Amino acid sequence: MSRTAQPAPSAVDTSRPFGAHLRMSWWKPFVLFLAVPLVLVVLQVLAYQLVGVIEGSDDPLSPELTPLKSLAVNLATGATGLVAVLLLVWMTRVPWRALFSSRRAFDRGRLAHYSIGAALMVGAGAGVVGAVAPASTGWTTFAISGTTITFLTITLLTTPIQAAGEELIYRSAMLPAAASWVRPVRPALAVGLVVSALGFAVVHGSTDPWLAGYFTVVAVSTGLMAILSGGMEAPIAFHVVNNVLFGVISNVMSGGGTTTIDRATDTGDASLLVLVAVNVGMVALVATYERRRRHISGHPGAPRAR
């Protein structure tokens, strides 16, 4: 008598919270962790080289950020986010929607709610830093020039693509991929948070301990937002709002010219603790909102860890 073929187990485990909801062979996360940063670097270098040809620059990889360089970075990062999602979907055969939310559909209402909350918190944080530590911001003189308008246009149109791309890379893909190595839920989430946060910090390439620590805090915070809410609305909203607001402020406070990307030693200081507090506040907002939502409406939200 022939045996009845058993269906392969699903790669998505809906009994586990978002971030620890994927089942993968142990070697597949390594492929993701090696391939995605390589794609990001290659796309950015190629984009910078193309910009260098267009601008006639002798040093297309210089730290000076021109409008075209900003456009190149934003689009390259967004494209890498799509590559990360498509690669993970191809390797695991999970529905792509499972990388955006778990046990529920992606919720535009949540996205709007968290965008408003993030705008209030990030705006307040930027104001405090500008008031108490203006020298640490790199902001110089308010001015509106042709360069400023070009920067603002690129910031408003493509910075959301860049920020969302980073969230797809590190929270949609790397977080659950790393967590799949461990079966107990809480250790799995811890592993996913640590691995994805370190990857985020390393790719941002700062040798300054303050900045490196801050990038790590951002990554852990957005990872916690995804886990607490059971989806990607909160981390995408926060990351997009944060980058757009600071981008706009930097544009109009650069004296009408270009800016410089400098993440070397001694470029960060204790004023970053204000922005750390903003990240912590956003995590608290997500936790409070999701708890109240479950209490009032019985919405599933993020399942409890087992």
Side-chain angles (χ1 to χ4, degrees):
M1 181 176 61
S2 61
R3 295 182 178 179
T4 303
Q6 296 295 322
S10 172
V12 180
D13 187 345
T14 56
S15 69
R16 293 161 65 86
F18 184 85
H21 61 302
L22 297 187
R23 298 177 183 270
M24 300 174 63
S25 300
W26 66 269
W27 56 271
K28 290 181 179 180
F30 286 112
V31 174
L32 185 76
F33 300 154
L34 291 174
V36 173
L38 180 61
V39 169
L40 179 60
V41 171
V42 169
L43 288 181
Q44 289 193 349
V45 170
L46 290 176
Y48 268 26
Q49 295 293 340
L50 177 60
V51 169
V53 172
I54 296 172
E55 295 181 337
S57 172
D58 295 330
D59 184 12
L61 300 180
S62 69
E64 181 186 12
L65 187 65
T66 65
L68 280 181
K69 278 188 176 180
S70 177
L71 176 64
V73 169
N74 290 347
L75 295 182
T77 305
T80 305
L82 290 178
V83 169
V85 168
L86 292 174
L87 179 59
L88 190 54
V89 167
W90 176 73
M91 288 193 299
T92 61
R93 298 292 187 264
V94 300
W96 63 268
R97 291 179 178 82
L99 301 183
F100 288 83
S101 61
S102 177
R103 297 186 66 192
R104 60 174 179 78
F106 189 84
D107 186 351
R108 293 181 181 178
R110 273 185 171 89
L111 186 66
H113 176 87
Y114 289 132
S115 295
I116 294 170
L120 294 174
M121 290 191 175
V122 173
V128 171
V129 172
V132 304
S136 68
T137 62
W139 303 333
T140 56
T141 306
F142 177 83
I144 302 293
S145 66
T147 300
T148 306
I149 293 173
T150 304
F151 262 126
L152 286 172
T153 302
I154 290 171
T155 296
L156 293 173
L157 293 180
T158 67
T159 294
I161 296 174
Q162 173 266 330
E166 289 192 332
E167 289 306 309
L168 295 182
I169 295 169
Y170 297 101
R171 261 59 74 182
S172 283
M174 288 194 178
L175 170 60
S180 71
W181 281 325
V182 183
R183 291 314 301 162
V185 170
R186 288 177 181 172
L189 292 173
V191 170
L193 283 172
V194 169
V195 172
S196 59
L198 291 178
F200 182 83
V202 168
V203 166
H204 280 74
S206 177
T207 57
D208 179 84
W210 281 104
L211 279 176
Y214 175 66
F215 290 135
T216 304
V217 168
V218 171
V220 171
S221 298
T222 48
L224 287 172
M225 293 175 206
I227 293 166
L228 290 169
S229 62
M232 291 297 298
E233 300 93 343
I236 288 176
F238 178 75
H239 203 150
V240 168
V241 168
N242 181 80
N243 287 17
V244 168
L245 280 183
F246 274 100
V248 168
I249 295 171
S250 297
N251 295 159
V252 300
M253 294 298 294
S254 62
T258 59
T259 58
T260 300
I261 301 175
D262 186 3
R263 294 172 180 164
T265 304
D266 298 328
T267 53
D269 57 32
S271 65
L272 287 170
L273 293 175
V274 175
L275 303 184
V276 168
V278 170
N279 280 262
V280 174
M282 188 67 189
V283 172
L285 172 66
V286 172
T288 301
Y289 177 75
E290 294 297 332
R291 184 166 53 248
R292 184 170 65 249
R293 187 182 179 106
R294 290 194 297 272
H295 176 72
I296 293 175
S297 65
H299 195 281
R304 295 180 179 273
R306 291 185 300 174

